[in-house]
Amino acid sequence: MTRALRLLRRRLVGSVFVLLIVIIGSFLLLEAAPGDAVDAYIVSTGGDAGMIELLRHRWGLDQSELTRLANYLWALLHLDLGQSVTFSRAIRDVILERLPTTLILMGSATALSFGLGSTLGVYAGARPGSFRDRFLSIGSLALYAVPGFWLGLVLIVIFAVDLRWLPVGGIETIASGKTGLARAADIATHLVLPVSALGFIYLALYLRMMRAGMAEAWRQDFVLAARARGLRQRRIVLAHVARNALLPLVTMLGLQSAQMLGGSVVIESVFAVPGLGRLAQEAVAGRDTPLLLGIILVSAVVVVVINLLVDLAYAVLDPRVGASEGSA
Amino acid sequence: MSRLCHFFRTPEAIAGASILALLVVVALAAPLLFSGDSQAIAGPALLPPFQDWSLPLGTDRLGRDVLAELFHGARTSLAVGLAAAAAALLIGSIIGTLAGFAGGLVDEVLMRITDAFQTVPSFLLALAFVSIVGPSLGVVVAAIALGAWTGPARVARAEVLSIRERDYVAGARVLGMHPLEIAFREVLPNVLPSVLALSSVIVAAAILTEAALSFLGLGDPNRVTWGGMIAEGRTVLRTAPFLSVVPGIALVLTVLGVYLAGEGVVESAAARRSLS
């Protein structure tokens, strides 16, 4: 495990720099936005010019840009993201309240697209160039061309409006009083449509990657060796060809996490799921720039953490990763 | 000529090219066929499609001609998609070339910035940018490009790392050319082909991002967009689903056309390489 830990340490140092750049970038955006925290505060409470001066001074907004950046960093170091105007609460608390919903949505959608995509990819890649391979490749491309929010609306029309099988939106039945397993089942039925809308779009990515990796692996010598040993076709496909094509897909999981988070913004708005994405839209509607940038910072942290986990998983799966760093 | 023959060998490439050609015709013909204001009221509200042949796709909630809106929407989608992709490819190749050619600290800083842009979900970034600066066509293009330049930058950098060791670069150095001149006049043109190979994916993503932004009400309010049409139709989703479905189909066909044409280009390039 020391190999994986060493890798983790090196990645952590890189991540800190990346997050620092994200923070500086969001500070610049905050500065570029019209109005500041005091303006927003005065709008909601009212006050005269003297009070504005006093507040600007007290909140350190009359100081130089560098000092303000330092103050911003100092606050972030204490996990203080500032105050939301639209919610009149600490931004950190509002975000933490919404984050789990988005993580569940993202996680389920990723599981769906990865699971189904790689399975279909194995099916297509088992015989490259066959009819089913061509059909699945073109079909997945067509799916990849579908805007997620539109797929969501179409699913609503079919399954919620026409067939009435599933709820139109929301995360659970309001005031149903359900607890425990009944509540979990209720949330699950509410999640079926949003997870499908988000997951089906990215399915194509894993399918095509798996298929391409397998097409490549068929040409390798170990396939010939496996054939020469008289292994069954099924075993060659699963244990030799597909297995070798699987690793790049794991990397893709990490790279794709930022896209998934971005995609969930629109999906959450279509299905009225009270997650981080819907919060971002509420922040836009309420012109709450600090809240919006808080969401961006938190999603950057989420993406960094997911990528660290993926790197760790990769190191565990592939003994070659990080092995050469031992002597260095 | 042989290049075109190669391109039109697969049915996918032919389908993609036909869709794109049709789209360009539609976008160019929109102001000729539907002169006047596409947002003007043309008939009774919520007329279903295929009922009245002067309004073949019916009318929306306010009685506007859906077909005219669809044609004008094609203009916005294509313009934004192409402009954002061009900007992203340009910024990406310049930053990638600089990073790869300069190396050292410049490379390190530029690549960490690239990492940072890849860490922030590009759609959230676009959302924040448009909401802070204010929605207009140029801002939407910039917002999309802001999240799309990282891929081209990485490809360009990787390509530069192999090109900068070639003889003609060494030759340019001996001639006493300024490093920036070598980077942009000798190296960058040779990097472009592999960066341009990304263009179909980037154009497609840009069109989808624009649609999502205008669906959330962050598009240019003075222009018809397919995303905006879907959002409009959403309010009457139960009674008139076609208002959301029709522009969505247009979007799917457009993006699919871009993908298929892109695959055709890649495949024909591969076929030519294997021949030579």
Side-chain angles (χ1 to χ4, degrees):
Chain A
M1 277 319 279
T2 52
R3 182 173 52 89
L5 284 178
R6 220 167 23 233
L7 185 80
L8 186 68
R9 203 178 54 200
R10 207 171 51 109
R11 288 291 150 86
L12 263 178
V13 174
S15 307
V16 169
F17 276 107
V18 165
L19 283 180
L20 203 62
I21 295 173
V22 173
I23 290 171
I24 292 174
S26 78
F27 174 76
L28 292 178
L29 268 177
L30 197 60
E31 293 281 300
D36 58 16
V38 172
D39 291 324
Y41 183 76
I42 292 297
V43 165
S44 58
T45 60
D48 57 8
M51 185 160 170
I52 293 178
E53 278 306 306
L54 187 73
L55 276 174
R56 285 237 158 91
H57 182 69
R58 191 178 294 163
W59 292 356
L61 292 173
D62 52 355
Q63 283 160 338
S64 74
E65 290 217 341
L66 265 179
T67 323
R68 270 178 306 182
L69 177 60
N71 288 343
Y72 186 60
L73 280 172
W74 186 244
L76 286 180
L77 212 58
H78 294 85
L79 301 179
D80 175 15
L81 290 167
Q83 202 73 14
S84 158
V85 190
T86 29
F87 292 90
S88 311
R89 287 172 58 199
I91 290 176
R92 181 189 56 198
D93 298 344
V94 180
I95 289 180
L96 282 182
E97 207 173 271
R98 301 288 192 99
L99 189 60
T101 312
T102 297
L103 289 182
I104 292 173
L105 177 62
M106 261 178 76
S108 323
T110 305
L112 174 73
S113 57
F114 185 82
L116 200 58
S118 55
T119 311
L120 288 175
V122 170
Y123 190 64
R127 285 168 67 192
S130 63
F131 170 74
R132 71 182 189 205
D133 174 31
R134 266 194 114 65
F135 176 78
L136 281 173
S137 295
I138 298 289
S140 66
L141 206 59
L143 207 55
Y144 202 48
V146 176
F149 63 91
W150 183 73
L151 181 63
L153 287 178
V154 172
L155 289 176
I156 287 179
V157 168
I158 298 174
F159 292 103
V161 175
D162 279 354
L163 296 173
R164 294 176 181 276
W165 285 354
L166 292 161
V168 176
I171 185 71
E172 57 184 318
T173 314
I174 297 164
S176 63
K178 286 176 182 163
T179 49
L181 273 182
R183 181 165 178 240
D186 185 41
I187 291 179
T189 46
H190 278 81
L191 274 176
V192 171
L193 289 184
V195 166
S196 310
L198 192 56
F200 270 108
I201 306 293
Y202 295 110
L203 182 154
L205 211 64
Y206 299 106
L207 192 158
R208 293 177 77 80
M209 240 181 131
M210 189 68 177
R211 193 222 151 253
M214 283 179 76
E216 193 72 38
W218 277 114
R219 287 196 280 273
Q220 306 283 326
D221 286 340
F222 62 77
V223 175
L224 201 65
R227 282 239 168 82
R229 276 187 285 145
L231 294 184
R232 299 257 295 277
Q233 177 74 8
R234 196 186 154 77
R235 198 175 148 72
I236 297 179
V237 168
L238 290 179
H240 293 258
V241 177
R243 198 172 164 186
N244 272 284
L246 190 64
L247 268 181
L249 267 76
V250 177
T251 318
M252 202 61 194
L253 272 181
L255 293 176
Q256 211 38 40
S257 56
Q259 293 279 330
M260 270 286 182
L261 243 171
S264 70
V265 176
V266 201
I267 293 295
E268 282 176 17
S269 136
V270 170
F271 290 97
V273 175
L276 209 56
R278 191 151 172 79
L279 188 65
Q281 226 212 324
E282 285 162 8
V284 170
R287 306 211 125 270
D288 195 342
T289 312
L291 176 59
L292 195 53
L293 293 173
I295 295 169
I296 287 186
L297 285 183
V298 170
S299 30
V301 172
V302 168
V303 171
V304 163
V305 170
I306 291 176
N307 275 294
L308 283 176
L309 291 177
V310 166
D311 279 340
L312 265 187
Y314 204 93
V316 173
L317 286 175
D318 188 345
R320 290 168 301 184
V321 172
S324 59
E325 286 168 30
S327 52
Chain B
M1 203 51 224
S2 71
R3 192 179 285 218
L4 272 181
C5 288
H6 275 301
F7 178 72
F8 284 114
R9 246 183 1 179
T10 59
E12 287 95 329
I14 297 171
S18 323
I19 294 173
L20 289 188
L22 181 73
L23 207 68
V24 170
V25 170
V26 162
L28 290 177
L32 303 172
L33 285 177
F34 304 99
S35 53
D37 192 1
S38 63
Q39 312 246 44
I41 288 166
L46 291 175
L47 182 74
F50 313 123
Q51 300 276 313
D52 178 350
W53 285 112
S54 63
L55 298 164
L57 286 180
T59 58
D60 70 1
R61 211 159 48 97
L62 299 173
R64 294 176 294 202
D65 183 355
V66 171
L67 188 67
E69 285 189 284
L70 209 58
F71 269 52
H72 280 277
R75 286 172 82 82
T76 319
S77 268
L78 274 191
V80 171
L82 291 178
L89 289 169
L90 187 72
I91 301 170
S93 351
I94 290 176
I95 289 185
T97 305
L98 277 179
F101 199 72
L105 190 66
V106 177
D107 183 24
E108 193 63 32
V109 169
L110 286 178
M111 287 333 277
R112 286 296 88 74
I113 292 178
T114 312
D115 281 342
F117 270 92
Q118 279 184 319
T119 304
V120 174
S122 54
F123 186 71
L124 264 180
L125 185 63
L127 197 73
F129 189 77
V130 175
S131 97
I132 287 172
V133 184
S136 74
L137 212 57
V139 172
V140 171
V141 168
I144 296 171
L146 213 54
W149 62 270
T150 51
R154 283 191 187 283
V155 170
R157 177 177 174 272
E159 198 71 1
V160 167
L161 288 182
S162 83
I163 286 180
R164 71 171 185 187
E165 307 301 331
R166 303 252 170 100
D167 285 344
Y168 64 82
V169 176
R173 280 214 180 88
V174 173
L175 280 174
M177 276 171 85
H178 191 272
L180 276 179
E181 204 183 346
I182 303 177
F184 288 108
R185 284 187 49 188
E186 302 288 330
V187 177
L188 186 62
N190 290 298
V191 167
L192 281 182
S194 36
V195 175
L196 285 178
L198 293 173
S199 47
S200 74
V201 178
I202 291 181
V203 171
I207 291 175
L208 287 176
T209 310
E210 188 276 333
L213 280 176
S214 39
F215 176 73
L216 292 183
L218 286 165
D220 188 329
N222 300 316
R223 275 169 194 272
V224 185
T225 58
W226 289 341
M229 288 173 73
I230 297 175
E232 266 287 300
R234 188 186 169 191
T235 51
V236 284
L237 195 62
R238 282 165 193 275
T239 47
F242 67 91
L243 284 178
S244 298
V245 171
V246 168
I249 290 174
L251 262 173
V252 174
L253 279 179
T254 304
V255 176
L256 189 61
V258 173
Y259 280 142
L260 288 176
E263 291 239 309
V265 172
V266 170
E267 269 178 39
S268 75
R272 262 189 304 142
R273 221 174 294 132
S274 66
L275 278 180
S276 58

